[in-house]
């Protein structure tokens, strides 16, 4: 219903195409968009989540909106969790943007 009567145009080689009907999907910024994304993201991450706090395990996933934070006790644990997230997200049709992926390493002891 949110796309009723919606049309789009694209620019190819500097030329604007004829209008075409958009009959599937959700408009960017639509309130339903965030809800559907969160449902799909939850499905992708539910098999990776563990109970308890980071004190009791090697990794923890924290999420807010479309941002995910992975906390890990070691680089191998972080790499394994990131590979798992990428795999599970891909199964649901989600893609992780490597240009927006950041990591930070810190330690309680100087090294």
């Amino acid at each position: 219903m949110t796309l009723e009567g919606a049309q789009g145009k694209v620019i190819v080689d500097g030329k604007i195409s004829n209008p075409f009907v958009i009959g599937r999907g959700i408009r960017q910024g639509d309130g339903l968009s965030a809800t559907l994304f969160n449902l799909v993201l939850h499905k992708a991450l539910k098999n990776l989540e563990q109970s308890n706090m980071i004190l009791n395990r090697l990794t923890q996933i924290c999420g807010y909106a479309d941002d995910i934070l992975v906390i890990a006790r070691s680089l191998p644990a972080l790499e394994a969790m990131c590979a798992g997230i990428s795999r599970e997200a891909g199964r649901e049709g989600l893609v992780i943007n490597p240009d927006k992926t950041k990591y930070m390493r810190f330690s309680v002891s100087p090294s």
Side-chain angles (χ1 to χ4, degrees):
M1 288 177 15
T2 63
L3 291 175
E4 188 173 327
Q7 292 186 346
K9 295 180 185 179
V10 294
I11 299 174
V12 179
D13 293 328
K15 297 178 184 175
I16 299 174
S17 73
N18 292 327
F20 55 91
V21 175
I22 302 173
R24 292 179 48 177
I26 304 229
R27 292 179 191 261
Q28 186 173 351
D30 188 303
L32 187 56
S33 179
T35 302
L36 291 174
F37 175 80
N38 283 329
L39 289 171
V40 173
L41 183 61
H42 175 74
K43 183 177 179 190
L45 298 180
K46 75 178 179 177
N47 294 330
L48 300 171
E49 296 247 20
Q50 303 165 4
S51 60
N52 303 324
M53 298 185 331
I54 189 68
L55 300 173
N56 302 332
R57 60 176 189 247
L58 289 175
T59 59
Q60 184 169 357
I61 301 171
C62 303
Y64 180 77
D66 63 347
D67 293 323
I68 299 171
L69 170 67
V70 179
I71 302 169
R73 292 182 162 268
S74 69
L75 183 58
L78 176 64
E79 290 172 338
M81 182 57 75
C82 289
I85 290 171
S86 183
R87 180 187 66 247
E88 294 299 322
R91 288 181 181 163
E92 301 303 325
L94 301 176
V95 178
I96 296 173
N97 184 340
D99 294 333
K100 293 184 176 181
T101 302
K102 309 287 182 233
Y103 73 94
M104 177 177 65
R105 180 178 183 194
F106 64 92
S107 175
V108 292
S109 60
S111 50

